[in-house]
Each structure stands twice: as C-alpha cells, then as structure tokens.
Amino acid sequence: MNKNGQINRRDFLKIGTFATGGLLVAFTVPDKIPFAKPTATSEAALNAFLRIGTDNSIHITLSKVEMGQGIWTTLPMLIAEELDCDWSQLHVAHSPPGKAGDFLEPPVYKSTGGSETTIREFDRYRMAGAIARTMLVAAAAKRFGVRSEDCRTENSYVIAGNQRISYGDVATEAAKLPVPKVTLRDPKDWKYIGKSRKRLDAPEKINGKARYGFDSQFPGLLTALVSHPPIFGATVKTLDATQAKAIKGVRNVVQIPTGVAVLADHFWAAKQGRDALKIEWNLGENANLDTNMLTDTYRQLAKTEGLTIQKKGNVTSALAKSERSIDAEYSFPYLAHAPMEPLNCTVKIGKDSCEVWAGTQSPLLHQAEVAAFLGLKPEQVQFHTPCIGGSFGRRGSFSSDWVMEAVHIAKASGKFIKLVWTREDDIKGGYYRPIYVHNAQIGIGADGFPTAWQHRIVGQSLFVNTPLADVIAPKGIDYSSVTTGAPYSKSIPDYSFELHTTSVGVPVLPWRSVGSTHTVFVVETLIDELAFLAKTDPVVYRRAFFKNSPRHLAALNLAAEKSAWSKPLPKGQFRGIAVCEAMGSYVAQAVELSVENQAIRVHRVVCAIDCGLAVNPDGVRAQMESGIVFGLTAALYGEITIQNGVVQQSNFHDYPMLRMNDTPIIDVHIVPSTGKMGGAGEPGTAPIAPALANAIFAATGKRFRQLPIPAFW
Amino acid sequence: MPLYQLSINGKKYRVNADAQMPLLWVIRELVGLTGTKYGCGIAQCGACTVHLKGAPVRSCSFPVSAVLNQPITTIEGISNDNSHPVQKAWIDEQVPQCGYCQSGQIMSAVALLRDNPHPSDADINAAMQGNICRCGTYPRIRKAIKRAAATLPKTNGQ
C-alpha cells in the first residue's frame, strides 16, 4: 500500500491459471517482522490466494492461521464481499507447503498475532475479490457479446439480460485477461461485512473430523515424548535407558539438547518409557530460582529509578508536596498459556528435504530455523499447518522451541517422528507470561484528581533477542512491558513512567493481550481507588479524563448503560468497572458479583467494545466472551510458582481453569463506530481483572494489589 | 499382551494392548479414531470423554481392560451428518472456537440430555464442569444445551 492508502496492484498480486483451467489470484501478504535471515525468495513470495475452479468452486488459501479467533471465516467474508460468490461453494485452507517463490504453490505465510489479522488484511482480501470479479465479468461479457457494464454478478454467476454463465465456466478465459483497475464497494452496499456470519470451520469441529497436529498419523510414524530437565537450563549428567528400552513398544531413546526423547509405537509406550528413564541432571545456574525471592528482588528494584518511558514536570517534588497520596505496590505471577491442544510437531527428514507438521503462529520463522539447522534451503522444508487447538501466544514461540525439539529428535534418531508434549510438559515447560512488579505513587489534589503520578514497572522483556526486537524493544526498552500503562497521564501535570528490564532464566512469551494483562490492572484499580477517595462514582470520575478520548468514553458509557450502572443491584451484589485501549480497540467491562465467606461468585459481565468496524459482529462477541473467561481464569486462579528451580504446578488440578459452573453470564455490546479498526482476539482479556478487583473492593472494602486474587484473606 | 474385543460406534475391533493402556490411546492410536482428544491425561479436562454403555467416561484414565463388553460411543458415532440435536444446537449457537475440546463437550452434553432432557442451569453445571474449554465457550455451550433440550420431546432424551 502506498502513502495515500492505495494498493499498488503490481506489488501485491499475480494472476494465473492451472493446467486444469480456472482463475488464480495470488497475493502477497507482507509481514512487519524483519527476519534476521531473510531469503531473497521468501520476501517476494506470494502467500495467500484465491482460486476459482472450472467446477465453480472457490478456494481461499489463508495467509494467516486459525487458532480459534475466527479468521477462517472473516478473511473469506472480505473476498466474498467483492466477489459475489456462492458462499456454500467456499473451501478454505491454511497456506499449503510449497517452494518459496513458486507462483502456483505459495510458500508458507508469516506470523499470526497481535490481534491484527483482519485489520491488516481488510484491503488486500477485498482487492483480490474485486479483481477476480472484474476479470470474470470481462470474460463473460466477451462471451455474451455485451459490455462489462451491462453485466451483473450474483452467487458465482455473471448475468446479462437473459444470459447467465457461472464463474467456473469463464474462469480459464478470465485468467488470460490483463489485471484490471478496480474500485472497492461502497460500505452502504456491503452484504457480508458488518453482518454476523457462521464460522466455516464449525461443522468439522463438532464431529471429530477436524485434524489437529496431535492427530497426525502415518504408517511408520513413531511417537516421541521428551523427559525435560526439572530446572530451566539443566542438562543431562547421566542417563540409564535400560528399563525404558525394555518396555514393549519403545523403539529408541535419544539424547537431544532439551532432554532425553523416548520413541515408541504409540503414546502409551512412550509415556511408560519416559517414566522408566533414569536421569541425573546437571542442575545449572537456575537451581536456586524461587519466584517469591524473585518477586522480592523486583520489589526492591521498583523502588529505584528506571529507564524513562514518559516524563513531564518534576514528579519527585510534586509527590513530596502532596497532602494526600497513594503508595501502591503490585505483583503479577508467571502464567502458562495452556492451550487445550498440547504442543506437538511431526517431522520427516529425507535426503535434501524435510517435512514438518505443526500448528503454529509462525510457520515461516520455523521453516527458516529448521532449514538452517539441517543445512537445507528454506524451500526444501515443507511446512504443513493443521488445525490449531488454541495458542494464546504459546505457539508464537520466537525460538521455534518445540519445533526444533522435534527436528532434533528426528535427526538424532533417523526416524519419522511425532513429538507430543503432555499437559505436564506444557505447564512446567516455561515460555510464560513474565512476573511483573509495579510501584505507583500518586499525589492527589484538592479536587480529588491526581496531580503527580510516578509509575515503575519491573519485569523480563518479551521481545529482546527476538526478530521483533527492533520494532517493539528498541534500545533495550521493551514497549510491550508498558503498553496501555499511561492512559490518564495527559491530564496529570507531574508524571513519570519508568521501566526496569530484568534477565531471568525462565523463558517467556507474549500471553493473550500481552502488556495489558498487568498495566491495565494497575491503572484501572488505581483510578477506582482515586474515585473512591474523591467520593465520586468511578464511571463519572473516569469521564473527566476522557473528554478528548471519545472512544474510551463511548465504550465506558455503553458498558455503564447496558449494565444499568446507576441502578441498584439485588441485595448482596456489587459491581466494578474498568476500561482500556488494547490492540487498537476500546473495551469497557462491568462485573457484578457477590462474596460469601471469601468465595467470589461472578454473576454477570457486561462488555462494550469499540473496535471500529466489526467485520463479523458475532465473531467479535465470541472473542470478547473468550477473552473474559481467559482473563477471569488468570485473575482467580492463574499462578505458576517456582521453588528451588522447580515449577510447582503440573496440570489442571493445580493450575486450574475457569469451568462451566464458575462462568458468569456475559453480555457483549459493540459500539457503533467509524473509528480505526482495532483487534478482537486479545482486547477482551485486559479489563476483566481490574473490573473484578474493583467489584471485590465494592463488596469487601479490600484492595488486592496482586493477581491472582488470593483464595483466602 | 492381551487381546481385547471392542465395540466402538457399533463396529467391532480387536486390539492387542497392555491391560493398563488407557482407552483414549486405544481409540486414537490402535483403532485410529482421532476425534477423541488428549488434554490432560488425568481426567481433569474432559477432552477425552466417550460414552461407555451411554454413560460419559474420561477415556484418558480408563484402562482398556475395564471396558469389558460395554459398547463405546465416540464423537464419530454421534451422527453421520451433524444431525444430532446437540450438534445442530452447537452450530446454531456458534459454539466452537479452536474446537479442540468440543468433542468432549458434546459427548458430555449428549449424555446429560439423554438422562435429563430438560436440565436446569444447576444440572448443566454439574454435568459440564468436568470439561474445560480454554477458549471460554461456556456461555454458548450453556445456550446450545438449552436449545437442544427445547427440540427434544418432553419425556424422552435422544
């Protein structure tokens, strides 16, 4: 796209046909990740396409992956909006493996994440649909002997007067025409965009037919389980695999950099084999790691000045002069992503080739990594992306950790293998949302509003030493650590926002809604506290800050209205609210709960989101519900602790999830908006924990400055 | 290794397996039906739920030797064409997201409605709280169960 927002057609698409006929519109979906080792071919590669078969079928190959967030349906809606195709004839697939740069076999696509798929692809997918339609019409017009302007399109047919012809019948001819100039449809004519549409992937997800990576089955395939070190960074000192190898079905035991792999005919034998391994470990430098001690260290650090993120006035002297103040310290634990489908990866290494099956957010990154390790060209690594059973950031691993683990096993054993992680491997395996500590000092003016605010954050960086470091963490400041942490700073005269970045031997990764998981909690509970001290309703109090932020205000007001904020709740019920911007969307949530004998019962959550245009409104609602349950789970239960270097949790019994009986009624409302499009996958997670904590305060008078909310107090 | 004769979705299978091998892995890796999922291995998440003589069991923690002659139904045996009232309701309410847990959710819901065609919210909580959904589709699952219940005759499940 150029500076004026116009798409340069030559930059982004190619037209072609197949030996069997049909029309192919292939388009590039560039990615902002500046890869450390880009290949000439992969950068110019075409990685999404629309194909119209001679049988009138419509095939859409996605540039991004479906992990539950709904783009399997939303992206085709964008094409269908311009193409006038028969929705029932749509076939959707993840980008297939192929030789990079090969026109007819697009290579793997790049990362999916940041809640930005629909935002980034909104124009490109519509363009692809519009160009295909224009070419099909031109081909049909020629056949009819009329002008293109005299044709209309409907349900995969071109129609002129009494003549009609299917897209499939003219697809091959259309492919020979020059690429036309097109104008995208006026929003008032939209038939798909803005109207709820059922998910295209739902039917195969309710009958067991959907094939996830975990379901990979091939003749001769062995299942591999890895005994991982009990402590991050520990290595094998001695290994005795005698008993493991004696187990029926166990075929091989190999040592790899991340532990010891047991290869067997099936999971059960591999599991028994792994249990029978005798390993002594060199514990390494993380043997004394303790999350309580680590958090204490962070607390001390938070009392010292950090790197400046934002600064104005003189906050130190302003705080000293304040008559009333808040001095608050917050802490947040490590969190596992725990997608329902545990990590897995199937690898077949051949002569000068490698085939990989893995549900992942970043196939291209892994492809490059696998190729470099095996001494292959990226195009010699075929990457298949099956259905993905959730990710929430875990499958966005920048180090390709589990994929490389599988490749190491395949290489060391010479076998065709499927690596699977058990739930225990997943919970204990690291790549967590980091621990963060915040320290905030606020001076309060006579009018009840903050006059000075010093806010310090301590935590590990998610993005240093990753391919995104230059974009998100330039000069050692990781902006994901502080994102959405200063929405109220404009009206505060003396303000300082600082960051300490730590280095700890626990691998970390972005976790749904990333920095907003902690920054929004701190800011929104502090604002609630300020409102309380000012004896002002928290909605009214916030409105004063959002005079120049209409989208915050719209979300806040809609949530207040739909939750009947000003009307009393039934006896024994209390409410709290929070609002934030995250991933370009504005979300407010009001929580209604009761607390009996320190047991919290959330009855209802009312959510309002301004995401600009909601392409598939029911999809946006589903993502808000999903984000709320995800955020509530973390707020009530989520905590990974480490003692003597060992992760203390292992499975859902000690790393619990919200369940049906805990789940409140969730009402989602979408703000009618012409604002810039924002994301949907992650923003719903951000405000739920502070809204919950604010409601708990209303119910009990207790301010919790840590997550999860303690089970007893 | 003992030989077991299993009836799964009305079809007979003969498998050689370790007596302690969980039914889940027998179904997935010896029989080859992959609709039933592994999520935790300790009967905490319900992704592996199948029916044994109509009753829901967590197949990840159920040894194959304990099946005896009881017929097994998996997600693949619920219908050939997504026509079961629970499947229809799942589409109407647009339940699935990542979809990985949904086989287990549907198996629990089908068993619930067979025994109790018109469950209360408390009944739904009791029957479904063994099934975790990390995508948080619980509100839609609840609605879908009620929708499916509304299509069932007053007296009889199925």
Side-chain angles (χ1 to χ4, degrees):
Chain A
M1 216 182 295
N2 71 17
K3 268 184 259 169
N4 302 322
Q6 290 166 328
I7 292 165
N8 182 336
R9 283 169 292 123
R10 252 170 301 179
D11 280 354
F12 110 113
L13 69 77
K14 274 191 179 178
I15 302 297
T17 188
F18 292 90
T20 52
L23 169 64
L24 176 78
V25 180
F27 51 111
T28 307
V29 181
D31 197 286
K32 71 182 177 193
I33 295 186
F35 284 91
K37 294 167 283 191
T39 62
T41 48
S42 68
E43 289 307 294
L46 296 159
N47 50 14
F49 69 1
L50 160 64
R51 178 162 64 85
I52 293 152
T54 52
D55 60 353
N56 217 16
S57 59
I58 311 273
H59 298 264
I60 296 174
T61 304
L62 299 180
S63 53
K64 299 279 182 178
V65 300
E66 171 67 52
M67 304 175 275
Q69 80 277 40
I71 60 154
W72 195 269
T73 309
T74 314
L75 294 180
M77 284 172 72
L78 299 174
I79 284 180
E81 184 62 69
E82 296 291 337
L83 187 57
D84 288 344
C85 56
D86 181 350
W87 184 259
S88 70
Q89 293 303 308
L90 270 186
H91 304 274
V92 184
H94 282 147
S95 185
K99 215 166 65 183
D102 185 329
F103 174 41
L104 291 179
E105 292 178 42
V108 290
Y109 35 83
K110 298 184 183 177
S111 294
T112 304
S115 297
E116 58 180 25
T117 295
T118 307
I119 307 166
R120 290 165 64 86
E121 312 308 0
F122 187 61
D123 288 340
R124 276 189 287 261
Y125 275 71
R126 286 188 302 149
M127 283 291 284
I131 286 165
R133 177 184 168 276
T134 306
M135 295 173 79
L136 291 160
V137 166
K142 216 165 151 189
R143 190 85 79 88
F144 294 158
V146 301
R147 297 175 308 163
S148 282
E149 299 89 284
D150 298 326
C151 298
R152 65 187 177 87
T153 47
E154 191 181 291
N155 229 22
S156 293
Y157 278 83
V158 184
I159 302 160
N162 294 328
Q163 307 186 82
R164 36 186 293 132
I165 193 161
S166 78
Y167 283 0
D169 284 336
V170 290
T172 308
E173 287 156 61
K176 293 169 190 153
L177 297 173
V179 181
K181 278 189 180 158
V182 295
T183 312
L184 295 176
R185 287 210 163 116
D186 191 302
K188 73 174 165 41
D189 299 324
W190 282 344
K191 291 181 188 140
Y192 286 83
I193 297 171
K195 293 167 181 70
S196 290
R197 188 153 283 269
K198 289 198 159 122
R199 295 178 66 114
L200 287 165
D201 57 350
E204 65 166 15
K205 286 179 172 176
I206 58 166
N207 57 23
K209 290 200 177 98
R211 300 285 288 197
Y212 297 81
F214 217 105
D215 303 330
S216 296
Q217 290 186 340
F218 299 99
L221 181 69
L222 296 179
T223 298
L225 261 68
V226 174
S227 184
H228 293 112
I231 290 166
F232 297 114
T235 54
V236 176
K237 188 175 180 183
T238 63
L239 166 65
D240 176 359
T242 319
Q243 285 183 23
K245 284 179 178 167
I247 287 168
K248 194 167 166 56
V250 171
R251 300 291 169 189
N252 205 349
V253 175
V254 292
Q255 207 171 315
I256 52 166
T258 49
V260 179
V262 177
L263 288 68
D265 292 341
H266 46 67
F267 178 97
W268 185 241
K271 168 80 166 49
Q272 288 177 301
R274 183 173 78 168
D275 291 347
L277 287 174
K278 290 192 174 131
I279 306 171
E280 267 188 275
W281 303 90
N282 294 309
L283 298 183
E285 60 189 22
N286 294 316
N288 296 320
L289 200 69
D290 180 300
T291 40
N292 283 332
M293 281 160 60
L294 187 64
T295 308
D296 282 343
T297 311
Y298 282 17
R299 286 196 180 100
Q300 294 307 314
L301 203 50
K303 288 174 185 158
T304 65
E305 195 178 341
L307 287 175
T308 298
I309 305 300
Q310 198 180 323
K311 191 167 208 149
K312 56 180 172 171
N314 186 333
V315 80
T316 314
S317 66
L319 281 171
K321 278 183 240 158
S322 299
E323 284 183 21
R324 282 194 301 167
S325 62
I326 295 174
D327 190 346
E329 194 176 75
Y330 286 82
S331 63
F332 303 88
Y334 283 122
L335 293 173
H337 305 75
M340 286 312 292
E341 181 195 13
L343 296 175
N344 59 83
C345 179
T346 298
V347 178
K348 186 183 200 175
I349 300 175
K351 189 176 170 290
D352 299 328
S353 71
C354 178
E355 216 171 342
V356 181
W357 291 257
T360 168
Q361 294 174 239
S362 311
L364 194 69
L365 189 65
H366 304 327
Q367 185 194 42
E369 198 84 22
V370 172
F373 174 67
L374 294 175
L376 299 172
K377 293 177 190 145
E379 57 266 32
Q380 291 173 308
V381 177
Q382 291 210 323
F383 213 102
H384 306 265
T385 307
C387 280
I388 300 175
S391 179
F392 316 113
R394 181 62 185 90
R395 291 182 155 93
S397 169
F398 300 110
S399 67
S400 309
D401 65 290
W402 86 98
V403 173
M404 288 311 298
E405 181 168 82
V407 173
H408 275 285
I409 297 166
K411 184 152 191 263
S413 65
K415 303 285 187 196
F416 183 14
I417 64 104
K418 174 168 76 171
L419 164 71
V420 301
W421 279 32
T422 61
R423 180 59 60 195
E424 288 79 7
D425 292 321
D426 173 59
I427 300 294
K428 288 185 171 293
Y431 296 92
Y432 303 132
R433 195 288 305 270
I435 288 178
Y436 291 97
V437 166
H438 289 232
N439 187 310
Q441 292 184 45
I442 302 170
I444 306 168
D447 60 356
F449 285 100
T451 54
W453 187 313
Q454 177 183 277
H455 190 160
R456 290 173 178 152
I457 300 179
V458 182
Q460 285 170 262
S461 167
L462 297 168
F463 289 100
V464 293
N465 302 324
T466 74
L468 281 170
D470 290 346
V471 180
I472 300 176
K475 293 174 189 158
I477 293 183
D478 186 331
Y479 285 90
S480 78
S481 301
V482 298
T483 178
T484 64
Y488 299 96
S489 64
K490 267 188 199 145
S491 47
I492 303 167
D494 294 287
Y495 183 85
S496 181
F497 194 16
E498 301 160 28
L499 173 67
H500 290 278
T501 299
T502 60
S503 184
V504 181
V506 178
V508 292
L509 272 179
W511 187 99
R512 195 178 196 171
S513 93
V514 198
S516 305
T517 57
H518 54 105
T519 59
V520 171
F521 184 82
V522 172
V523 168
E524 286 302 299
T525 53
L526 285 171
I527 286 291
D528 193 75
E529 196 164 340
L530 286 163
F532 178 78
L533 293 175
K535 299 186 172 60
T536 308
D537 176 89
V539 171
V540 174
Y541 188 81
R542 280 181 178 80
R543 281 181 189 142
F545 290 92
F546 293 140
K547 279 176 198 139
N548 297 314
S549 185
R551 299 182 74 183
H552 274 108
L553 198 57
L556 179 68
N557 285 342
L558 189 61
E561 178 203 326
K562 296 295 183 183
S563 66
W565 184 261
S566 50
K567 300 213 172 80
L569 285 170
K571 194 169 178 292
Q573 288 193 28
F574 301 86
R575 52 168 53 119
I577 199 163
V579 61
C580 71
E581 179 274 321
M583 279 78 187
S585 288
Y586 296 76
V587 188
Q589 288 165 0
V591 164
E592 295 165 8
L593 54 67
S594 53
V595 180
E596 269 178 58
N597 300 324
Q598 303 189 348
I600 296 157
R601 172 122 213 104
V602 182
H603 301 283
R604 184 168 78 133
V605 177
V606 177
C607 172
I609 175 171
D610 174 354
C611 58
L613 173 67
V615 174
N616 187 359
D618 192 52
V620 171
R621 280 193 286 275
Q623 285 313 296
M624 290 303 105
E625 293 159 12
S626 177
I628 287 165
V629 171
F630 205 83
L632 267 181
T633 299
L636 292 170
Y637 307 126
E639 185 170 29
I640 293 287
T641 56
I642 301 172
Q643 284 174 24
N644 297 321
V646 178
V647 175
Q648 299 299 295
Q649 293 71 28
S650 64
N651 204 319
F652 293 130
H653 65 290
D654 54 11
Y655 189 73
M657 299 288 133
L658 209 72
R659 292 170 181 270
M660 176 66 87
N661 51 312
D662 302 321
T663 301
I665 292 166
I666 301 175
D667 292 333
V668 180
H669 303 274
I670 299 173
V671 176
S673 170
T674 54
K676 192 170 173 232
M677 194 186 291
E682 296 172 89
T685 303
I688 187 66
L692 174 81
N694 293 340
I696 292 171
F697 173 77
T700 67
K702 288 203 176 292
R703 289 271 175 213
F704 290 106
R705 300 198 198 279
Q706 85 240 48
L707 289 178
I709 303 291
F712 306 100
W713 64 75
Chain B
M1 226 175 251
L3 176 74
Y4 294 96
Q5 295 209 32
L6 302 175
S7 161
I8 306 177
N9 304 329
K11 213 174 146 187
K12 301 274 183 263
Y13 297 88
R14 291 156 69 89
V15 294
N16 275 107
D18 165 20
Q20 288 308 305
M21 187 168 181
L23 180 58
L24 169 66
W25 301 111
V26 172
I27 291 170
R28 284 181 57 83
E29 302 195 321
L30 301 186
V31 173
L33 294 172
T34 56
T36 306
K37 303 303 186 196
Y38 165 82
C40 70
I42 57 167
Q44 282 286 313
C45 81
C48 65
T49 305
V50 300
H51 294 175
L52 205 57
K53 221 175 158 184
V57 298
R58 312 301 182 205
S59 65
C60 74
S61 304
F62 197 94
V64 63
S65 54
V67 174
L68 306 176
N69 294 321
Q70 302 169 94
I72 298 158
T73 309
T74 69
I75 185 70
E76 290 90 346
I78 290 300
S79 76
N80 292 324
D81 52 1
N82 287 356
S83 61
H84 189 283
V86 168
Q87 289 173 312
K88 283 189 188 165
W90 245 243
I91 294 289
D92 287 337
E93 294 295 343
Q94 286 291 286
V95 173
Q97 290 189 25
C98 91
Y100 191 80
C101 75
Q102 296 299 341
S103 297
Q105 303 279 2
I106 289 169
M107 296 311 285
S108 291
V110 168
L112 163 66
L113 292 173
R114 181 179 294 147
D115 295 344
N116 180 357
H118 301 284
S120 66
D121 279 324
D123 296 335
I124 293 172
N125 286 346
M128 300 304 295
Q129 68 180 339
N131 289 81
I132 292 173
C133 173
R134 194 69 171 124
C135 297
T137 63
Y138 305 118
R140 289 176 188 237
I141 290 173
R142 184 183 299 281
K143 284 182 196 161
I145 290 172
K146 289 179 179 177
R147 181 188 278 266
T151 69
L152 298 174
K154 286 270 184 252
T155 47
N156 187 4
Q158 287 308 70

